[in-house]
């Protein structure tokens, strides 16, 4: 239990570290940066008065660490690797869109996945946990460039939202109990988010992007806390196409207890490497 809770806290620490790192980078001598898929940058800037767009498809190889509780079931530690998930992978859609003009950047990101796993817990009797989840995340943000660096080093302050809808199914069986206990619940919540987005063009081909935000803050219909961090290194193949590799983590601490049979606890970190391909126009 302590180990999985430490794993869940890694996402929060990573996001906060990213915020600090982005600020430190902003104080360094400016190099260059331009646009990002949360993973990619245009090879050449367009006219300052015109809009620049980027559409990106990506694959995020997620694992899940943390604690999950649904209805009558006790809080269950979850430590699921991407390899575990892939054994019961049922589908995913992931992509984002970026629009940029002058000092303003608009972000939109959509993530949907359906996955699950079965695993024996390292407790007495080694009970078998069957866990599956269907998760939809829709994020949006507006960023305004901070007055640091030159035109190629773009550090923006961002404000936006992250909407999550989760259907969780858990089943717990043990040699000490002749039947399995299973529960299912669906919850959704909307978090305001604030953060930093860094877009750094290292040279004509290579670029570095980073993103960090925090949200939720225990507001009505929001999570207690949500935090995200992302870092990616990419390559511009030409003016229209780029690819990137990186690592992303999303920490969520959401709890809803409205009655003894409506108890929902979701304290997890989704994390793992990702790859993307972006089209710029």
């Amino acid at each position: 239990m302590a180990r999985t809770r430490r794993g869940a806290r890694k996402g929060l620490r990573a996001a906060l570290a990213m915020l600090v790192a982005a600020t430190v980078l902003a104080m360094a001598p400016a190099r260059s940066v331009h646009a990002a898929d949360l993973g990619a940058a245009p090879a050449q800037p367009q006219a300052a008065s015109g809009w620049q767009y980027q559409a990106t498809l990506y694959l995020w190889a997620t694992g899940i660490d943390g604690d999950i509780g649904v209805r009558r079931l006790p809080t269950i530690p979850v430590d699921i690797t991407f390899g575990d998930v892939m054994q019961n992978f049922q589908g995913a859609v992931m992509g984002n869109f970026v629009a940029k003009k002058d000092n303003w950047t608009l972000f939109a990101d959509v993530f949907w996945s359906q996955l699950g796993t079965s695993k024996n817990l390292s407790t007495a009797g080694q009970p078998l946990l069957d866990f599956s989840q269907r998760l939809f995340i829709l994020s949006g943000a507006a960023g305004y460039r901070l007055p640091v660096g030159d035109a190629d080093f773009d550090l923006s302050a961002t404000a936006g939202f992250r909407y999550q809808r989760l259907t969780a199914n858990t089943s717990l069986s043990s040699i000490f109990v002749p039947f399995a206990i299973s529960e299912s619940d669906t919850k959704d919540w909307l978090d305001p988010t604030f953060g930093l987005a860094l877009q750094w063009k290292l040279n004509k081909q290579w670029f570095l992007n980073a993103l960090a935000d925090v949200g939720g803050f225990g507001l009505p219909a929001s999570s207690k806390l949500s935090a995200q961090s992302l870092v990616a290194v990419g390559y511009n193949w030409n003016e229209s196409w780029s690819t990137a590799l990186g690592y992303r983590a999303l920490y969520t601490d959401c709890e809803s207890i409205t009655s003894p049979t409506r108890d929902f606890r979701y304290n997890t970190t989704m994390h793992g490497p990702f790859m993307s391909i972006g089209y710029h126009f």
Side-chain angles (χ1 to χ4, degrees):
M1 175 88 63
R3 181 171 62 87
T4 55
R5 286 177 176 169
R6 287 195 299 271
R9 288 195 293 270
K10 288 180 181 178
L12 176 59
R13 292 197 298 269
L16 295 177
M18 192 69 71
L19 284 169
V20 175
T23 303
V24 172
L25 284 171
M27 303 304 174
R31 294 282 305 279
S32 71
V33 74
H34 216 58
D37 61 6
L38 305 183
Q44 295 182 0
Q46 299 179 13
S49 60
W51 283 96
Q52 305 166 47
Y53 303 102
Q54 178 181 318
T56 301
L57 294 176
Y58 65 89
L59 175 64
W60 183 18
T62 59
I64 305 173
D65 298 317
D67 301 310
I68 297 173
V70 179
R71 296 185 181 240
R72 298 170 300 168
L73 287 178
T75 299
I76 299 171
V78 177
D79 181 6
I80 302 172
T81 67
F82 177 64
D84 296 329
V85 169
M86 286 304 297
Q87 294 179 14
N88 293 283
F89 180 74
Q90 298 171 326
V93 176
M94 310 173 194
N96 59 58
F97 185 81
V98 177
K100 187 177 181 67
K101 182 179 180 180
D102 300 327
N103 291 325
W104 288 98
T105 303
L106 304 178
F107 305 88
D109 184 272
V110 62
F111 173 91
W112 176 87
S113 70
Q114 186 165 321
L115 49 85
T117 188
S118 297
K119 198 166 189 176
N120 288 102
L121 303 179
S122 57
T123 59
Q126 292 190 321
L128 178 66
L129 167 68
D130 288 307
F131 170 75
S132 66
Q133 72 172 31
R134 185 166 61 251
L135 178 63
F136 173 74
I137 305 175
L138 176 64
S139 304
Y144 189 80
R145 183 180 175 185
L146 299 176
V148 293
D150 62 18
D152 293 323
F153 187 92
D154 193 339
L155 178 66
S156 298
T158 65
F161 71 91
R162 181 162 46 247
Y163 171 78
Q164 298 189 62
R165 179 180 175 86
L166 172 71
T167 298
N169 303 282
T170 59
S171 176
L172 193 63
S173 58
S174 171
I175 59 174
F176 301 117
V177 180
F179 56 88
I181 303 173
S182 60
E183 293 289 358
S184 177
D185 204 354
T186 299
K187 291 292 181 182
D188 62 346
W189 57 93
L190 179 66
D191 294 335
T193 60
F194 302 93
L196 294 172
L198 175 64
Q199 305 167 355
W200 191 353
K201 187 178 179 183
L202 303 175
N203 54 44
K204 186 176 180 180
Q205 281 77 39
W206 292 96
F207 59 88
L208 171 70
N209 292 325
L211 174 71
D213 62 50
V214 294
F217 313 115
L219 298 176
S222 297
S223 66
K224 295 169 65 176
L225 184 64
S226 178
Q228 176 179 223
S229 62
L230 175 151
V231 63
V233 175
Y235 186 84
N236 292 306
W237 296 96
N238 52 45
E239 295 183 12
S240 299
W241 294 97
S242 63
T243 55
L245 294 173
Y247 199 88
R248 181 180 180 183
L250 174 62
Y251 171 80
T252 303
D253 183 2
C254 184
E255 184 176 280
S256 174
I257 302 176
T258 55
S259 74
T261 59
R262 300 291 294 177
D263 186 347
F264 181 85
R265 291 139 288 146
Y266 186 75
N267 186 345
T268 67
T269 299
M270 295 176 58
H271 60 94
F274 75 91
M275 61 183 299
S276 68
I277 180 170
Y279 176 68
H280 313 272
F281 56 100

